[in-house]
Amino acid sequence: MPEITDTFRAGGTHPAPRDLAATPAPGILAAPDILAWSCPAPLRDQPRVVMGHGGGGALSAELVQHIFAPAFGGEVLAQLGDAATVSLGGARLAFSTDSFVVRPLFFPGGSIGDLAVNGTVNDLAMSGARAAYLSCGFILEEGVEMAVLARVAEALGAAARTAGVEVATGDTKVVEAGHGDGIYINTAGIGLIPAGVDLRPQRVVPGDVVIVSGPIGVHGVAIMSVREGLEFGTGIESDCAALGGLVDTMLAVTPDLHVLRDPTRGGLAAALNEIAAASGTGVVLQERSIPVPPAVANACAILGLDPMYVANEGKLVAFVPREHAEAVLAAMRSHPLGAEACVIGEAVSEHPGMVVARTGLGGTRVVDLPIGEQLPRIC
Amino acid sequence: MPEITDTFRAGGTHPAPRDLAATPAPGILAAPDILAWSCPAPLRDQPRVVMGHGGGGALSAELVQHIFAPAFGGEVLAQLGDAATVSLGGARLAFSTDSFVVRPLFFPGGSIGDLAVNGTVNDLAMSGARAAYLSCGFILEEGVEMAVLARVAEALGAAARTAGVEVATGDTKVVEAGHGDGIYINTAGIGLIPAGVDLRPQRVVPGDVVIVSGPIGVHGVAIMSVREGLEFGTGIESDCAALGGLVDTMLAVTPDLHVLRDPTRGGLAAALNEIAAASGTGVVLQERSIPVPPAVANACAILGLDPMYVANEGKLVAFVPREHAEAVLAAMRSHPLGAEACVIGEAVSEHPGMVVARTGLGGTRVVDLPIGEQLPRIC
């Protein structure tokens, strides 16, 4: 599929197979597998939007690359980080937005109201910014119960107070029954980036240590456990939380962290692939080091999912200069939201743009960018 | 309906009948009409969301007052302006958000993409701020044609370039067919408020001159003319436009304008009522001075609508200190978007919080806050 190969090469969202062939790392990668890698669907030729376009994987990237980026132009958008970094009145600000269409509205450990705050607050935190102000736009479906709306609004307000962010402005639209799904929420947030902090994938260098702040896959499994048709008892609650405090703790050790990302849609795999692609380094993970709670592993086994691709809403992954890694890890573990932080891998000069995992049996597998989300409407 | 009266009194969104009775202005208001004023529906007791909750009128205000404001708290939200004024890193910023659910996506004179830029850019302009950065969140319905999405994105990008604002960050979610309506867009925007500019209804004083930037009702009629089941030929195109340049022209005359508002949902009537309620002054309009294009007047006559309540997307209403009114009006008329600007009334000390119009026959009518929007999903 040469057309797809070109697409990816042009956009830099994924390494082209030929580049890999040119820089083989025989001990790690089995060349035949790599060369056989191809995209399972002709993404560019999708005539209509499919669910996967909202999944945070390759299809989402295609949409940005082929529709939004050319139409909007602009240098800031081209950064494609969790948040944009902009300058205004002499202040360096992080600015980010997310819409929330999670189903159901309430789930173990949270609600769409919690997500609407923490999703955007965390995007800002990944720039090192403490969220200061949020906007909040509701799209309500005619007929939604006022009591449900009130519960969501209360959850949103409480989450904002916990995160230390103020809801400063809002908007409400109502659409006819059958043109929504109860409540959709968009939030946008702004926050100040501290002096000396410059977090972006381009700063990643081989040798950087990859740290994850805790067990992965929890949010996604919590949602799946209550999704209609899938109900199963896990006792797992979403990890939905605001990460600004944890990031502050890390930056207090050194402002010289290289990049932070919160692995939401598409999970840890999508976050690491985006960083690898944008930084031009490779990433090697020790599969055994990746913390997966037994209940998540069991649920994923039953559902045929890979925890690496399951969404998180209260975790971050950090690329830290080797000399600071130990101190940053210790600081993270001193914070409630980083108590189970651990090193899971490192940035390498081999296989630029690609993420691989060393398996427990001594083998190596490619952890590629997901096409879409395994389960739609996870956030 | 004493309960409703209490509701309004508590929230200050509308004068209570008894207050009016205490300060009668016999020459203007017929007391029996005022005392009989009551709300046609027990708003607080709506158990479910209805279309009118998204209409920008009394039902929308109820939602903010009883659900959002108590849940979110915060002093900035309580300003309830078109945009919030916030301070960050020493900069005074305007911050605003709007969601767009207009139907159809394309209409004479514009599209949801144009609206998504101009709606938010204009909210910022009403604070005197020139929009600098926009966020853009799409909620797409599965199955929407990629070509339609591309057209909308291109319109959005072009409108942003015209307005001089950069789309800095975005997000895309996809919902299943039957849970959306093609494309919904949320934008949030930030911009710098110039030093010395302080635009808010609390600054309005009796004697202020009320200026409108041009003919009203154009956007709403343009949408209605293509709405399914309502099609009629008017030749009218939406006035959708970015008002930042016009506002700059006005502020160049004097930074001491008192308040600006763009009369979108709920039309001029809603905008003036909000200003009257928040400022505690009355507003008297000369009905004959209000510019209504003949085609808008005809369409409204056919549909049984009042042009005062029809949405605009490229107009503003200004409360200007009397000593600056002539110069500001002249400056507005020198700008393409203000060529037909005219004085339509004044702020008065009588009937605080209430808007009245002197009719051509020498009578007076109350222009009250609409309950909802005359036609849903106008923006």
Side-chain angles (χ1 to χ4, degrees):
Chain A
M1 284 187 182
E3 194 181 332
I4 299 312
T5 303
D6 288 340
T7 301
F8 279 128
R9 183 182 288 131
T13 60
H14 209 286
R18 244 163 292 171
D19 296 341
L20 287 164
T23 56
I28 294 177
L29 301 169
D33 284 332
I34 303 294
L35 288 172
W37 183 89
S38 73
C39 195
L43 306 182
R44 287 184 77 168
D45 297 332
Q46 291 275 3
R48 290 175 184 273
V49 169
V50 298
M51 293 304 292
H53 283 115
L59 281 166
S60 294
E62 283 273 296
L63 216 52
V64 172
Q65 187 181 331
H66 293 292
I67 304 265
F68 296 134
F72 301 163
E75 292 175 15
V76 182
L77 189 69
Q79 299 168 358
L80 290 178
D82 277 351
T85 301
V86 301
S87 284
L88 209 48
R92 200 161 58 111
L93 305 179
F95 182 33
S96 187
T97 190
D98 259 326
S99 297
F100 299 87
V101 299
V102 65
R103 208 186 59 196
L105 297 175
F106 302 90
F107 47 80
S111 73
I112 191 172
D114 301 286
L115 280 182
V117 170
N118 294 333
T120 294
V121 158
N122 289 350
D123 282 347
L124 299 179
M126 298 307 111
S127 299
R130 200 66 185 257
Y133 298 101
L134 281 186
S135 69
C136 183
F138 283 83
I139 297 179
L140 306 177
E141 185 185 18
E142 182 188 15
V144 67
E145 286 174 52
M146 209 56 89
V148 170
L149 178 60
R151 270 182 71 198
V152 167
E154 280 157 19
L156 197 156
R161 283 184 287 278
T162 300
V165 65
E166 183 169 351
V167 180
T169 184
D171 176 62
T172 306
K173 294 291 190 302
V174 181
V175 294
E176 301 87 348
H179 289 300
D181 200 1
I183 301 174
Y184 297 148
I185 304 178
N186 174 285
T187 51
I190 49 176
L192 207 58
I193 301 176
V197 173
D198 181 21
L199 296 165
R200 51 195 169 87
Q202 291 77 12
R203 295 197 60 222
V204 169
V205 292
D208 280 1
V209 174
V210 182
I211 302 176
V212 69
S213 65
I216 65 166
V218 184
H219 174 72
V221 168
I223 297 285
M224 291 179 208
S225 72
V226 291
R227 183 67 65 84
E228 66 273 25
L230 276 183
E231 296 91 340
F232 54 90
T234 63
I236 282 196
E237 298 207 334
S238 169
D239 57 345
C240 185
L243 295 168
L246 176 61
V247 171
D248 286 353
T249 303
M250 297 165 70
L251 289 172
V253 175
T254 172
D256 188 34
L257 307 175
H258 284 168
V259 70
L260 302 178
R261 196 64 63 113
D262 60 331
T264 55
R265 284 182 294 178
L268 189 60
L272 291 173
N273 269 279
E274 285 170 22
I275 292 171
S279 69
T281 64
V283 175
V284 175
L285 304 174
Q286 300 297 335
E287 200 169 49
R288 279 191 176 165
S289 305
I290 299 168
V292 180
V296 169
N298 292 342
C300 286
I302 292 167
L303 296 168
L305 303 176
D306 183 338
M308 289 285 286
Y309 295 89
V310 176
N312 311 274
E313 291 290 343
K315 297 297 181 312
L316 63 82
V317 59
F319 282 62
V320 181
R322 189 162 290 274
E323 64 269 29
H324 298 303
E326 200 172 327
V328 168
L329 184 64
M332 291 174 77
R333 288 183 172 162
S334 74
H335 190 281
L337 293 176
E340 295 176 78
C342 58
V343 173
I344 59 169
E346 61 180 326
V348 296
S349 53
E350 292 83 19
H351 50 82
M354 176 167 275
V355 182
V356 303
R358 294 214 172 105
T359 65
L361 299 172
T364 300
R365 68 177 177 112
V366 175
V367 179
D368 56 9
L369 188 67
I371 299 298
E373 168 58 50
Q374 300 179 112
L375 192 76
R377 297 181 56 186
I378 204 82
C379 61
Chain B
M1 286 184 181
E3 194 180 333
I4 299 312
T5 303
D6 288 340
T7 301
F8 279 128
R9 183 182 288 132
T13 60
H14 209 286
R18 245 163 289 170
D19 297 339
L20 289 164
T23 57
I28 294 177
L29 301 170
D33 284 332
I34 303 296
L35 288 171
W37 184 89
S38 73
C39 193
L43 306 182
R44 287 183 77 169
D45 297 332
Q46 292 275 3
R48 289 176 184 273
V49 169
V50 298
M51 293 303 293
H53 283 115
L59 281 167
S60 294
E62 283 272 296
L63 216 52
V64 171
Q65 186 181 334
H66 293 292
I67 303 265
F68 297 134
F72 300 164
E75 292 175 14
V76 182
L77 189 70
Q79 300 168 356
L80 291 178
D82 277 350
T85 302
V86 301
S87 286
L88 209 49
R92 200 161 57 112
L93 305 179
F95 182 32
S96 187
T97 191
D98 259 327
S99 297
F100 299 87
V101 298
V102 65
R103 208 185 60 198
L105 296 176
F106 302 90
F107 47 80
S111 73
I112 191 172
D114 302 286
L115 279 182
V117 170
N118 294 333
T120 293
V121 158
N122 289 349
D123 282 347
L124 299 179
M126 298 307 111
S127 299
R130 199 66 185 256
Y133 298 102
L134 281 186
S135 69
C136 183
F138 283 83
I139 297 179
L140 306 177
E141 185 185 17
E142 181 188 15
V144 68
E145 287 175 52
M146 210 55 91
V148 170
L149 179 60
R151 271 181 70 198
V152 166
E154 280 156 20
L156 197 156
R161 284 185 286 277
T162 300
V165 67
E166 182 170 351
V167 180
T169 183
D171 176 61
T172 307
K173 294 292 190 302
V174 181
V175 295
E176 301 87 349
H179 289 300
D181 199 3
I183 300 174
Y184 297 149
I185 304 177
N186 174 285
T187 52
I190 50 176
L192 208 57
I193 301 175
V197 173
D198 181 21
L199 296 165
R200 51 194 168 87
Q202 291 77 14
R203 296 197 60 223
V204 170
V205 291
D208 280 1
V209 174
V210 183
I211 302 176
V212 70
S213 65
I216 65 166
V218 184
H219 174 73
V221 168
I223 297 283
M224 291 179 208
S225 71
V226 291
R227 183 67 66 83
E228 67 271 29
L230 275 183
E231 296 92 340
F232 55 89
T234 63
I236 282 195
E237 296 206 335
S238 169
D239 58 345
C240 185
L243 295 168
L246 176 62
V247 171
D248 285 352
T249 303
M250 296 167 71
L251 289 173
V253 175
T254 172
D256 189 33
L257 308 175
H258 284 168
V259 71
L260 302 178
R261 196 64 65 111
D262 61 330
T264 55
R265 284 182 294 178
L268 189 60
L272 291 173
N273 268 278
E274 285 170 22
I275 292 171
S279 68
T281 64
V283 176
V284 175
L285 304 175
Q286 300 297 334
E287 199 169 51
R288 279 190 176 166
S289 305
I290 299 169
V292 181
V296 169
N298 292 343
C300 285
I302 292 167
L303 296 168
L305 303 176
D306 183 337
M308 290 284 287
Y309 295 90
V310 176
N312 311 275
E313 290 291 342
K315 297 299 181 312
L316 64 81
V317 59
F319 282 63
V320 181
R322 188 161 291 273
E323 64 270 29
H324 298 303
E326 201 172 326
V328 168
L329 184 64
M332 291 174 77
R333 287 183 173 162
S334 74
H335 191 280
L337 293 176
E340 297 175 80
C342 57
V343 173
I344 58 170
E346 62 180 325
V348 296
S349 53
E350 292 84 19
H351 51 82
M354 176 167 274
V355 182
V356 302
R358 293 214 173 106
T359 66
L361 298 172
T364 300
R365 69 176 176 113
V366 175
V367 179
D368 56 9
L369 188 67
I371 298 298
E373 169 59 51
Q374 298 179 115
L375 192 76
R377 296 182 56 185
I378 204 81
C379 61

